Amino acid sequence: MKELGIIFSAPMVRAILADRKSVTRRIVKGSPEFHRRARLLDYVSDSVARRCHAVFGDSLPDDPVPLRVRCPYGFVDRLWVREQFALSVRDPEAFELDVKNPSDWDGAAYCATYDGSGEWERYEEDGTRSKIAPPWRSPRFMPRWASRIDLDVIDVRVERLHEITEEDALAEGVARTDAGAFVIDGVDFATARAARDAFEFGWDRLHERTGGWKANPWVWRIEFARVKGEPTS
């Protein structure tokens, strides 16, 4: 089975654990000029041959040589979630960053479910203590063993960002509060009249430097199902 790590923010991790998120969009790698001028010529998704790629051409009449872009998420069976984490250390007098031997780590804690206290101490049945000492580590440094959530890849396709539907915006993790406000990535968007509007605002917060929603980039739409990870209560 082929696997690949994928980063999610803490609010999106909570949405996955609550079974409110089953789709994610990731920008197709390319320059802003590529995204402005590219048009999709072909898309190949062959689950048997494990091929998944898109072919782009220029939107202008003088088409250059078509550009074939391999989808990094289309050649794997499973994604494992990378999130902000801290290591659990057996020695209550030691700090996480002082521990050099991986055998001294007995688990991990996750920012998405952290209670906000300065330190955690976990007492085991045999009376031993485990100490967890933030600051949190970046998701980029999470080892595979520390990941608590696995996702099976169901479908991958390429599309323009603006093609997202209201239904898909909800599948992206947009929720609605009892007061009627739409929430995505932990932020309420009181002015959003629909889930799609909230997704647009959330996208702008995360991708302002690359032109945000207005840029309408090509994205990989990845649909998944959670196969590991305890649901939230």
Side-chain angles (χ1 to χ4, degrees):
M1 177 177 291
K2 296 183 179 180
E3 299 182 324
L4 180 70
I6 186 169
I7 293 176
F8 284 100
S9 66
M12 290 296 96
V13 168
R14 289 192 287 269
I16 291 172
L17 290 175
D19 291 327
R20 290 189 294 101
K21 185 173 178 66
S22 58
V23 173
T24 187
R25 282 166 170 75
R26 304 297 163 113
I27 296 177
V28 175
K29 289 187 177 181
S31 67
E33 185 65 18
F34 159 77
H35 283 282
R36 281 194 296 269
R37 298 177 58 176
R39 62 188 176 95
L40 185 65
L41 300 179
D42 189 26
Y43 177 64
V44 177
S45 180
D46 187 336
S47 59
V48 176
R50 306 301 304 158
R51 294 196 306 268
C52 190
H53 61 261
V55 181
F56 297 93
D58 200 310
S59 60
L60 300 179
D62 54 337
D63 283 359
V65 176
L67 176 65
R68 187 184 302 270
V69 180
R70 178 183 182 274
C71 176
Y73 309 99
F75 288 79
V76 298
D77 304 287
R78 181 163 293 177
L79 302 170
W80 55 276
V81 172
R82 309 175 85 158
E83 57 180 302
Q84 273 192 301
F85 72 107
L87 294 175
S88 173
V89 182
R90 290 193 181 93
D91 181 357
E93 302 302 323
F95 282 95
E96 171 193 332
L97 298 181
D98 295 332
V99 177
K100 304 299 182 183
N101 188 348
S103 65
D104 290 329
W105 303 336
D106 64 351
Y110 307 95
C111 185
T113 50
Y114 185 54
D115 67 357
S117 61
E119 291 181 353
W120 280 356
E121 283 189 344
R122 183 167 61 213
Y123 289 83
E124 311 297 344
E125 292 183 0
D126 61 1
T128 60
R129 291 190 299 171
S130 297
K131 183 177 181 180
I132 301 166
W136 303 102
R137 292 173 182 251
S138 166
R140 292 181 298 147
F141 304 121
M142 172 174 274
R144 177 67 177 98
W145 67 261
S147 176
R148 58 175 172 163
I149 306 171
D150 287 354
L151 311 170
D152 271 355
V153 177
I154 296 175
D155 181 62
V156 180
R157 65 174 184 256
V158 65
E159 63 184 27
R160 285 285 194 181
L161 179 64
H162 289 186
E163 293 179 43
I164 187 173
T165 63
E166 182 73 4
E167 181 181 11
D168 239 21
L170 293 171
E172 279 273 5
V174 175
R176 195 163 192 173
T177 67
D178 293 339
F182 288 95
V183 181
I184 187 171
D185 211 20
V187 179
D188 291 9
F189 295 97
T191 59
R193 293 172 293 179
R196 192 173 183 273
D197 295 335
F199 177 82
E200 175 184 340
F201 297 149
W203 185 274
D204 277 337
R205 289 181 64 249
L206 294 175
H207 301 281
E208 182 180 3
R209 292 183 179 180
T210 56
W213 173 266
K214 186 177 180 180
N216 192 24
W218 287 101
V219 294
W220 302 113
R221 178 196 179 274
I222 306 121
E223 184 177 355
F224 55 80
R226 178 170 57 84
V227 293
K228 173 188 169 186
E230 292 297 321
T232 57
S233 58

